[in-house]
Amino acid sequence: MDSDASTARTPRWQRWIFIAALAHTLVLAAYVLPEAWVPVRARAWSQAYARPLWHQQWRLFAPDPRMTSAWVEVGLSDSAWRPLDAGFADDPAMHRMAGSIARYVEDELDRGLPTPSPAIMQAMRAMVPDIVRDAPHVRFRLVRDRAVDPHHPERRERTITYLDEAP
Amino acid sequence: MTIPPASVRLFRLAVHLWLIVFLVVRIPVGAYLWVDPVSPTLPGNGFFSWATDAFDTWLPGEAVYVAVPLLLALAVRNLFRPARWYVGLPVWVLYTGLMHRAWLAGSGGQQLMGILLFWSIFIDERSLGPGSSFRHASSVLGVWAVRLQLLLVYAAAAAHKATGTAWWDGTAVGIVATDATYHLGGLAHLPWLCRAITWLLFAFMALFPVAVWWRPARRIALAAGLVFHTATAVFLDIPEMGTAFLVAYALWLDADEAAHFLRPFAQLRTVMK
């Protein structure tokens, strides 16, 4: 950084503080960099150090953006369907919450689970209390638009998976 | 290497403005986020659960009715009053507790702000004058931890993108633009622009951690970041993410640059007096 008459110059002994901050950042780097880039032991130590107070991950759209656009819909009494966050207009927080639920559902189904985990099912129900209140058995489905060619991502194939709760 | 007190002042101001706006825009859906949370309870955080998951350990869930107004009040206080560690600590604890309670609505921007608030506990711009007090040392530590944290974020984001293929062949932004989750429909019809933006973003993230160490390059990097994060705030439905990054930029500004951004606030304060 540049010198300036109005700024305070860091004394020499405080370079050790910079080194401490740098060491902290290097341990965090072992926590957040791609797993293949970090030795296993360094990764383990970094997890113990970083997770409690400085948990973070920076993988938005990485290594590649998801090829599927997914959302969960809830069944209405008249056999119509509506997105989980339809009742919240354009609230970004609820929109993101619905998006996170859809990604969890997608990942769980892709891992071979027959239905979403009970915690995620409960979250889906909590998103639509108005419907849950009136109907004891609420139906959900996952809608996926999958881009088949990354060079033409506008061409997408739709699949719908019905999410029945395990008996 | 120096730490301009003006940039620290701007940082503290920006952190707490961000926090106030973040809380106010979430209050209408606070019932779903915090009171009767949609997000499943997180598995605990060991010894530090008291700090990072206050609402599921030593604070009852109903405490959010007090916590949100209290957090707002403390953030407003921090806009006008000097930094105190015993004010910064509860701000971080309450913010982190609320963030974890609504983790399904979380984002990298919220995580980053949690880290900025943690280091804010250590930072006091009044201690940055000549001297070698403990408070001075802790402020220097906090400032450098935040500065380096910002560089780490860009480096990690670039590193993860480098391990894929879409950022190299230029298809990444096109895939995102055609995703119905985001509001980038218009961009999807311009594949050449999608490719150009993909490579520009990739280069920006990879070069930012290097560029900030020289003044001319730093100005270009910060200006590019301003454009990029403003665009993500507007178009990607994660406004708090882009703005959290811009908050952290404050500590990379020179004294004159920070003073320039502080001027409107100084005028506002004069008017209020």
Side-chain angles (χ1 to χ4, degrees):
Chain A
M1 303 286 281
D2 318 280
S3 60
D4 187 301
S6 64
T7 60
R9 187 168 293 281
T10 308
R12 182 180 290 269
W13 67 269
Q14 288 192 2
R15 286 182 188 170
W16 287 105
I17 294 173
F18 171 76
I19 291 169
L22 187 61
H24 162 79
T25 307
L26 288 174
V27 181
L28 290 186
Y31 182 63
V32 296
L33 286 174
E35 210 164 330
W37 293 20
V38 181
V40 174
R41 185 170 292 189
R43 188 77 167 193
W45 280 105
S46 71
Q47 286 173 344
Y49 177 77
R51 191 167 283 164
L53 295 180
W54 300 291
H55 170 69
Q56 52 193 290
Q57 58 97 354
W58 305 106
R59 295 193 296 261
L60 185 63
F61 306 134
D64 295 317
R66 280 178 176 252
M67 294 290 278
T68 53
S69 171
W71 62 95
V72 173
E73 293 183 338
V74 58
L76 305 175
S77 55
D78 56 358
S79 76
W81 295 83
R82 78 168 205 211
L84 270 188
D85 56 347
F88 300 101
D90 281 330
D91 187 277
M94 299 309 287
H95 188 56
R96 192 157 345 108
M97 192 115 73
S100 298
I101 289 172
R103 280 193 294 277
Y104 271 94
V105 171
E106 199 181 7
D107 289 346
E108 289 180 339
L109 296 185
D110 287 348
R111 284 208 309 270
L113 293 179
T115 59
S117 61
I120 292 300
M121 285 300 286
Q122 177 56 37
M124 284 155 49
R125 295 169 65 84
M127 286 284 288
V128 288
D130 53 330
I131 297 173
V132 170
R133 200 168 36 237
D134 299 333
H137 185 73
V138 182
R139 295 167 308 144
F140 295 98
R141 68 181 190 181
L142 176 71
V143 183
R144 283 191 266 199
D145 282 347
R146 180 172 177 77
V148 286
D149 178 0
H151 294 281
H152 293 284
E154 72 283 1
R155 296 175 197 160
R156 291 183 177 242
E157 287 177 357
R158 176 164 293 187
T159 56
I160 296 177
T161 310
Y162 291 87
L163 309 170
D164 291 324
E165 285 187 74
Chain B
M1 291 198 168
T2 57
I3 298 173
S7 73
V8 177
R9 260 197 303 283
L10 180 64
F11 170 73
R12 286 196 66 246
L13 194 66
V15 161
H16 293 101
L17 271 177
W18 184 98
L19 184 54
I20 291 165
V21 174
F22 174 79
L23 288 171
V24 167
V25 299
R26 269 160 182 71
I27 284 174
V29 289
Y32 294 89
L33 298 176
W34 306 314
V35 177
D36 192 9
V38 169
S39 305
T41 305
L42 286 171
N45 201 6
F47 172 76
F48 291 103
S49 287
W50 66 269
T52 57
D53 298 281
F55 296 104
D56 292 311
T57 51
W58 58 279
L59 277 178
E62 294 74 23
V64 295
Y65 288 112
V66 179
V68 174
L70 177 62
L71 188 50
L72 263 174
L74 293 175
V76 171
R77 179 258 176 222
N78 283 348
L79 288 180
F80 301 101
R81 306 289 299 159
R84 301 273 185 239
W85 70 266
Y86 51 80
V87 178
L89 181 63
V91 165
W92 172 69
V93 167
L94 292 176
Y95 169 82
T96 311
L98 291 175
M99 177 175 73
H100 286 174
R101 201 162 167 81
W103 63 271
L104 277 175
S107 68
Q110 291 176 33
Q111 286 179 357
L112 179 61
M113 186 51 62
I115 293 166
L116 301 187
L117 285 170
F118 175 85
W119 289 112
S120 292
I121 300 168
F122 295 76
I123 298 172
D124 178 357
E125 70 269 23
R126 294 167 308 152
S127 71
L128 286 169
S132 58
S133 65
F134 175 77
R135 192 69 182 140
H136 185 158
S138 81
S139 292
V140 172
L141 176 68
V143 168
W144 274 111
V146 171
R147 282 177 173 174
L148 296 175
Q149 172 68 54
L150 181 67
L151 308 192
L152 174 64
V153 173
Y154 286 122
H160 282 285
K161 287 172 174 58
T163 60
T165 57
W167 292 89
W168 293 106
D169 66 19
T171 57
V173 170
I175 296 168
V176 175
T178 51
D179 188 323
T181 312
Y182 305 103
H183 307 296
L184 300 171
L187 188 62
H189 300 297
L190 301 167
W192 61 271
L193 186 57
C194 288
R195 257 194 304 280
I197 294 175
T198 300
W199 287 323
L200 279 172
L201 286 183
F202 195 16
F204 165 72
M205 290 177 193
L207 294 177
F208 188 97
V210 182
V212 290
W213 298 97
W214 295 275
R215 189 176 198 197
R218 181 168 67 245
R219 287 189 158 182
I220 294 169
L222 293 176
L226 177 66
V227 172
F228 166 53
H229 289 301
T230 305
T232 62
V234 172
F235 295 112
L236 276 190
D237 239 6
I238 39 175
E240 80 267 16
M241 179 117 167
T243 47
F245 276 81
L246 296 179
V247 166
Y249 279 20
L251 288 181
W252 280 101
L253 294 177
D254 293 333
D256 53 340
E257 294 164 343
H260 175 77
F261 287 107
L262 278 172
R263 208 164 296 146
F265 297 104
Q267 289 169 346
L268 182 67
R269 195 173 287 185
T270 310
V271 170
M272 287 173 70
K273 281 180 180 173

